[in-house]
Amino acid sequence: MLYQLIVFLPLLGFLIVGLFGSQLGAKASEYITSGFLVISAVLSWYAFITVGLGDTEVFTVPVLTFIQSGSLSANWEFRIDTLTVVMLIVVNTVSALVHIYSIGYMHHDPHRPRFFAYLSLFTFAMLMLVTSNNLVQMFFGWEGVGLASYLLIGFWYKKPSASAAAIKAFVVNRVGDFGFILGLFGVFMLFGSVNLDTVFANAANYMPAEIHGEASTETAAPVAESAEPVADAAHGETAAAVTPENTVMTFLGHALDKSGALTIVCLLLFMGAMGKSAQVPLHTWLPDAMEGPTPVSALIHAATMVTAGVFMLARLSPLFEHSHTALTVVTIVGAITAFFAATVGLVQNDIKRVIAYSTCSQLGYMFVALGMGFYSAAIFHLFTHAFFKALLFLGSGSVIHAVSDEQDMRKMGGLRKLIPQTYWMMIIGTLALTGVGIPATLIGTAGFFSKDAIIEGAFVGHNAFAGVAFTLLVVAACFTSFYSWRLIFMTFHGKPRATADVMHHVHESPPVMLVPLYVLAVGAVLAGIVFHQYFIGEYYVEFWKGSLFTLASNEILEHFHHVPMWVKLSPFIAMLLGFLVAYQFYIRSPQTPVRLAAQHNGLYRFLLNKWYFDELYDFLFVRPAMRIGRFLWKKGDGYVIDGFGPDGLSARVVDVTNRVVKLQTGYLYHYAFVMLIGVAAMVTWMMLGSGF
């Protein structure tokens, strides 16, 4: 009953408020949905203590029979293990705080019942995803968060930019979801099941797997004797040539053996993760999602939508570990995304967009860890990131609330003494995001423990792209520090750049908005110190209890604590360098960034326009699609179908009737003449018919 309450209380809140919100009123709607989420969050922490910190092994909670069709069986049931309960506390804790915060932030919105109903629906969909015990249920939650994000990003649907952003998020995610569902089909084809336990058991004996250079202890099905061994250039491994005897799948006209088929399936699943978790090149929807209300941004970026891809790869780690190629691709994409998003964040002026690109970059860190096989570090960073990213987004909402809905940091400044509590909460979030801490000690913020662990794991990783990933992550850490402190300095320090009227009305947020910030600040400071021993430290094995693939992580864990001191110092030095440059640019010499932007205008425009990804996609996809659509509309539908179909037939009928009606002149002699012609024709016909 515990887990049914955790999952279904948000759904119950959505149904009550969604159906009867107008009758209940805004206040009752807020209290019902928020109250249910608080209960669900408290129960989630109890489940975490019981399962994660206790001795409870993995188990399932049946709900109902879902799909039974031939060999396809997908029941609705909850998979409860350490990974699940970690995600439960992340999703429900952040969502509960966002609900409470929204009571103050959305106070003047006339459609609050609809907003709170959507928030609860979003939470329920994510809970369905993280508790799934089969890929069909996971896909249900996967599409559910996509729907809810569309509704929330476009909540202010009368605002054209919000509607456009919602459509963009929905369409871009459909691209990724196409890969996910193909991957789902591929898993069923290879293993004959979509149930996770069955898939993992079959994957262990599916093929000989070289795990990071060491042979797996699992035995594998023999390859066809006729297959000749060929060298794998990427890893130096020996692979069997694809023959008709060992072909298990044909994809895009190419015959694939077990190794190739599994790699394709993993890459298709990763394609889905790229869309949900905003990895290059399917990242373009994430910054535009800022058009929704700020609490929505916090929920999407900290606990729900963007974490879905990271969770999915971690959940399917026993599958991905059998494809070195897929893991290498994950590492490459993650490292490029971390670097790319950090460069774009350097020059953004919208306070929410800076934090949005920060999310994109931090997700890149998580995917690098996943690609290295360091799954526990990826989930640890997801866990800590939820606290400080929600803190930063809700803190930015408090700033926007204070300055009359202004989001341009160039029109802020001098707010430190006017909204001091918000200022210090933003400082704590920034310290956690930039990973402030003392290297080689246990003193530091949440980001210090999780982000540095990923960087050190990349240094000792056996992945072919590990060295490049390590370098890109360190550079991204420097950029992260710069744009994070740039946000603080431009927003809170210096002289006020807002109008006198705006500055006159600057005020601190009410307690209902500040209390969630205080709670998140505690997590941003203490989450790393309290939980690092469980996620990536001494109690690692006892904590995860097999819910993640542990062999690769064990190898990295044995080495990353003993990396050279310069490796441990590198993220600290990068963080310090970013802070010092930001301080120089925006406190000591505010004209320097203006001068540099003018001197390097091409580079500045390149970064300001986000590497021109949107313009490129507009040229390659949007405009051609619009031209094709216009052609099919005007020529295909209008000219051909309508012209020769309904409109054409009706036009011919009108033409004929217009000509026939001219025979009706109204003159008697015309009618007499026609009658005479008719009589003559009849006589002629009768004569011909009688044989004359």
Side-chain angles (χ1 to χ4, degrees):
M1 190 63 183
L2 169 66
Y3 296 98
Q4 285 91 334
L5 287 173
I6 291 174
V7 174
F8 290 120
L9 279 176
L11 176 63
L12 182 61
F14 161 70
L15 292 174
I16 293 174
V17 174
L19 294 175
F20 309 108
S22 56
Q23 289 83 7
L24 293 170
K27 281 293 181 186
S29 299
E30 293 168 348
Y31 293 154
I32 290 172
T33 53
S34 301
F36 283 169
L37 256 298
V38 170
I39 296 171
S40 188
V42 172
L43 294 177
S44 298
W45 279 97
Y46 174 78
F48 174 75
I49 294 171
T50 303
V51 176
L53 304 182
D55 299 325
T56 306
E57 298 293 333
V58 57
F59 63 96
T60 59
V61 178
V63 178
L64 53 83
T65 300
F66 187 33
I67 297 177
Q68 296 288 341
S69 177
S71 60
L72 175 62
S73 174
N75 292 328
W76 192 357
E77 56 188 12
F78 303 148
R79 180 185 182 89
I80 306 300
D81 58 13
T82 301
L83 180 58
T84 302
V85 295
V86 167
M87 294 303 299
L88 287 179
I89 61 173
V90 167
V91 174
N92 284 324
T93 302
V94 173
S95 182
L97 295 173
V98 167
H99 273 74
I100 296 170
Y101 178 93
S102 299
I103 295 175
Y105 190 87
M106 302 294 289
H107 177 68
H108 298 294
D109 195 286
H111 305 293
R112 281 174 286 166
R114 177 165 60 89
F115 178 78
F116 280 85
Y118 287 169
L119 284 182
S120 292
L121 174 64
F122 203 173
T123 307
F124 167 71
M126 190 65 187
L127 293 174
M128 287 301 303
L129 193 159
V130 302
T131 57
S132 58
N133 194 37
N134 61 74
L135 291 177
V136 173
Q137 183 181 332
M138 185 181 292
F139 188 72
F140 173 82
W142 194 270
E143 292 303 302
V145 295
L147 168 65
S149 67
Y150 169 79
L151 295 173
L152 284 167
I153 294 170
F155 177 75
W156 290 319
Y157 57 87
K158 294 183 180 179
K159 184 180 176 183
S161 58
S163 296
I167 294 172
K168 185 176 182 179
F170 197 80
V171 171
V172 172
N173 272 275
R174 295 293 69 71
V175 176
D177 294 352
F178 179 69
F180 183 90
I181 198 167
L182 288 180
L184 191 159
F185 295 154
V187 169
F188 182 71
M189 178 184 292
L190 295 182
F191 304 110
S193 176
V194 293
N195 293 309
L196 296 182
D197 287 328
T198 305
V199 170
F200 296 160
N202 291 341
N205 298 306
Y206 180 69
M207 56 179 284
E210 294 289 330
I211 308 295
H212 300 297
E214 297 182 5
S216 170
T217 57
E218 302 290 345
T219 58
V223 221
E225 293 182 2
S226 60
E228 298 180 1
V230 294
D232 187 315
H235 302 94
E237 299 167 0
T238 300
V242 181
T243 66
E245 290 79 11
N246 64 13
T247 296
V248 296
M249 178 190 293
T250 301
F251 183 74
L252 298 179
H254 297 281
L256 301 171
D257 62 1
K258 288 185 175 182
S259 175
L262 189 59
T263 294
I264 290 297
V265 167
C266 288
L267 289 176
L268 288 171
L269 293 170
F270 176 55
M271 182 177 171
M274 289 169 64
K276 278 288 181 289
S277 294
Q279 297 297 286
V280 172
L282 300 181
H283 67 282
T284 53
W285 67 271
L286 190 62
D288 289 3
M290 298 303 96
E291 293 295 336
T294 301
V296 174
S297 303
L299 193 56
I300 289 177
H301 286 248
T304 53
M305 183 116 158
V306 299
T307 63
V310 178
F311 166 80
M312 186 261 283
L313 260 66
R315 174 61 83 199
L316 300 180
S317 57
L319 208 59
F320 276 80
E321 272 300 318
H322 291 286
S323 175
H324 291 285
T325 302
L327 289 178
T328 301
V329 171
V330 172
T331 305
I332 293 171
V333 172
I336 292 174
T337 303
F339 176 78
F340 153 76
T343 62
V344 176
L346 296 174
V347 297
Q348 297 302 304
N349 297 308
D350 186 305
I351 186 171
K352 288 172 64 177
R353 284 182 180 267
V354 173
I355 306 173
Y357 277 106
S358 167
T359 300
C360 193
S361 182
Q362 297 304 307
L363 289 166
Y365 278 84
M366 299 176 205
F367 278 101
V368 168
L370 292 168
M372 296 292 168
F374 201 2
Y375 304 106
S376 57
I379 299 301
F380 186 34
H381 195 46
L382 183 155
F383 175 76
T384 61
H385 176 265
F387 291 104
F388 57 75
K389 188 51 56 71
L391 176 60
L392 287 171
F393 262 115
L394 297 185
S396 70
S398 183
V399 172
I400 295 168
H401 179 79
V403 293
S404 305
D405 297 328
E406 180 60 65
Q407 295 183 199
D408 192 331
M409 296 186 297
R410 294 171 296 183
K411 299 179 181 179
M412 297 181 188
L415 299 177
R416 178 169 56 94
K417 294 183 179 179
L418 299 175
I419 47 174
Q421 291 156 297
T422 298
Y423 169 72
W424 285 110
M425 294 302 102
M426 291 289 285
I427 287 289
I428 291 173
T430 300
L431 292 173
L433 171 62
T434 57
V436 174
I438 302 176
T441 71
L442 298 180
I443 301 174
T445 56
F448 166 75
F449 288 93
S450 58
K451 179 170 65 66
D452 286 19
I454 293 175
I455 293 175
E456 293 168 19
F459 180 80
V460 300
H462 298 286
N463 192 298
F465 200 72
V468 178
F470 169 76
T471 303
L472 291 178
L473 293 186
V474 172
V475 175
C478 179
F479 291 167
T480 300
S481 180
F482 174 83
Y483 66 65
S484 298
W485 289 108
R486 172 179 178 263
L487 183 152
I488 294 294
F489 296 147
M490 289 184 69
T491 304
F492 296 100
H493 292 264
K495 296 180 180 179
R497 295 180 296 277
T499 63
D501 183 61
V502 170
M503 295 303 296
H504 177 72
H505 290 92
V506 171
H507 58 283
E508 188 61 271
S509 297
V512 72
M513 293 173 62
L514 291 175
V515 170
L517 298 184
Y518 300 153
V519 176
L520 291 168
V522 172
V525 173
L526 298 179
I529 297 173
V530 174
F531 294 106
H532 79 279
Q533 290 285 8
Y534 298 98
F535 281 84
I536 57 172
E538 180 181 355
Y539 307 113
Y540 164 83
V541 175
E542 296 84 357
F543 178 71
W544 289 110
K545 304 180 188 69
S547 60
L548 296 174
F549 189 90
T550 57
L551 182 57
S553 292
N554 284 342
E555 292 182 4
I556 295 178
L557 281 168
E558 290 175 4
H559 296 94
F560 100 97
H561 289 297
H562 307 290
V563 297
M565 181 54 69
W566 70 268
V567 175
K568 292 182 177 292
L569 289 174
S570 58
F572 175 80
I573 294 172
M575 175 272 297
L576 191 60
L577 180 62
F579 167 77
L580 293 175
V581 174
Y583 183 81
Q584 173 67 25
F585 279 16
Y586 295 98
I587 297 297
R588 296 189 62 186
S589 179
Q591 295 305 314
T592 299
V594 178
R595 186 174 65 253
L596 286 175
Q599 291 175 350
H600 305 280
N601 187 59
L603 177 60
Y604 175 73
R605 290 291 172 187
F606 179 72
L607 298 179
L608 188 65
N609 288 284
K610 303 154 287 188
W611 291 28
Y612 292 102
F613 269 102
D614 284 313
E615 289 77 6
L616 178 64
Y617 289 170
D618 185 64
F619 174 76
L620 292 177
F621 304 115
V622 178
R623 292 182 186 179
M626 291 182 67
R627 284 195 290 266
I628 293 172
R630 182 173 292 276
F631 172 80
L632 294 175
W633 168 34
K634 293 291 187 181
K635 300 298 183 183
D637 186 47
Y639 180 76
V640 177
I641 297 176
D642 287 343
F644 293 95
D647 290 348
L649 292 175
S650 63
R652 299 296 77 77
V653 170
V654 171
D655 290 342
V656 171
T657 55
N658 285 337
R659 286 175 171 79
V660 171
V661 78
K662 291 179 181 179
L663 298 175
Q664 302 293 331
T665 63
Y667 295 109
L668 183 62
Y669 58 87
H670 285 170
Y671 297 149
F673 177 74
V674 171
M675 290 174 65
L676 180 61
I677 294 298
V679 170
M682 184 179 296
V683 170
T684 302
W685 177 73
M686 292 176 66
M687 291 174 63
L688 293 175
S690 61
F692 289 103

